[in-house]
Amino acid sequence: MTRQSCLYVGRVRHRRFRPRRHALAYRVYWMLLDLDELDDLATQLRFFSHNRFNLYAFRDSDYGDRSGRPLRAQVEDALAEGGIAWDGGAIRLLTMPRILGYAFNPLSTYFCYRRDGRLCATVYEVHNTFGEIHSYVAPVGATASRLRQEARKAFHVSPFMGLSMRYAFQVSPPAARVSVAIDGDDDRGRLIATALTGKRRELSDGAMLRLLASHPLLTLKVTAAIHWHALRLLAKRIPLWPHPAPPARPLSLGDALPRHAKEPVQS
């Protein structure tokens, strides 16, 4: 059987429009991991492990409810709670792995497929720097080649943004390329635009070593960049919002949008 797990190499861009303009961009890469392939990958690849230390590693306890319970079962529960008809097809996760034992993922995206290969839902798992996790579960509309979805913001991500916002997602699912663009709107209109884009590469020991050299300590750099830009936002006197209690439920439900819906801005 052809391996579905792979690498995506690209960039993350983020723009803020109010009350001061601010932008950031950095190079990054992700793994697209078929959850049914994790143990085989750990056997076949020298520098990748599942639930053990390695140059690259994937730990179930970094995701979901952090219990270490199999992620496939957790995603299945989330889809059922969202009322999404899923028949047990593949679940593939776009995420940054642990690199030399350290991991932080502002956003990880699960692509949930039916057995006939059609995409039926996405789960956006958001982590903040306060150690909290929340997921947005959204169905896929009539076409899966370019998804448009939205959800009300329910989870505190940044001290520079409040909760009175809506997210609009535009996604090109994993193929030769992958992209996830997110607009955040408040009652005054567009506040932020974020986009990640990547080009597919084979997942191999050689590729992982080359990326370790070209993007050293990637996950640590992502965390450092978040804090560096927070300092820059403070210097621009962006107002701070208090940190609310996390939502009572670990997931929120989103909606599929029609094809003519407004497209998020590609920053």
Side-chain angles (χ1 to χ4, degrees), residues 8 32 92 94 107-113 119 121-124 136 138-141 143-150 167-175 177-183 194-198 255-258 261-266:
Y8 282 96
L32 180 74
R92 295 173 189 143
L94 186 71
L107 174 68
S108 295
T109 304
Y110 299 84
F111 295 90
C112 307
Y113 296 84
L119 187 65
T122 52
V123 179
Y124 303 99
Y136 298 88
V140 168
T143 176
S145 60
R146 199 174 188 187
L147 315 183
R148 292 185 177 90
Q149 300 158 315
E150 71 172 11
Y167 292 134
F169 303 90
Q170 180 176 295
V171 180
S172 294
R177 294 181 178 272
V178 67
S179 69
V180 179
I182 307 170
D183 270 4
T194 299
L196 64 85
T197 57
D255 300 298
L257 293 176
K262 179 186 70 174
E263 295 188 3
V265 171
Q266 298 285 342

Side-chain angles (χ1 to χ4, degrees), residues 46-61:
R46 180 179 301 177
F47 302 120
F48 176 85
S49 292
H50 183 203
N51 291 327
R52 293 190 302 107
F53 179 83
N54 205 330
L55 292 181
Y56 293 84
F58 182 87
R59 290 188 181 273
D60 298 303
S61 58

Side-chain angles (χ1 to χ4, degrees), residues 180-239:
V180 179
I182 307 170
D183 270 4
D185 289 26
D186 62 13
D187 57 2
R188 295 176 55 195
R190 182 175 291 113
L191 178 62
I192 59 166
T194 299
L196 64 85
T197 57
K199 184 177 180 180
R200 185 182 178 109
R201 294 189 187 176
E202 180 186 4
L203 178 55
S204 67
D205 286 320
M208 287 189 289
L209 285 178
R210 289 190 291 272
L211 287 171
L212 198 65
S214 61
H215 301 65
L217 300 178
L218 172 66
T219 48
L220 185 61
K221 286 186 174 181
V222 168
T223 302
I226 289 171
H227 288 93
W228 167 242
H229 284 279
L231 291 174
R232 292 182 60 191
L233 290 172
L234 282 173
K236 292 181 178 183
R237 298 184 178 180
I238 304 296

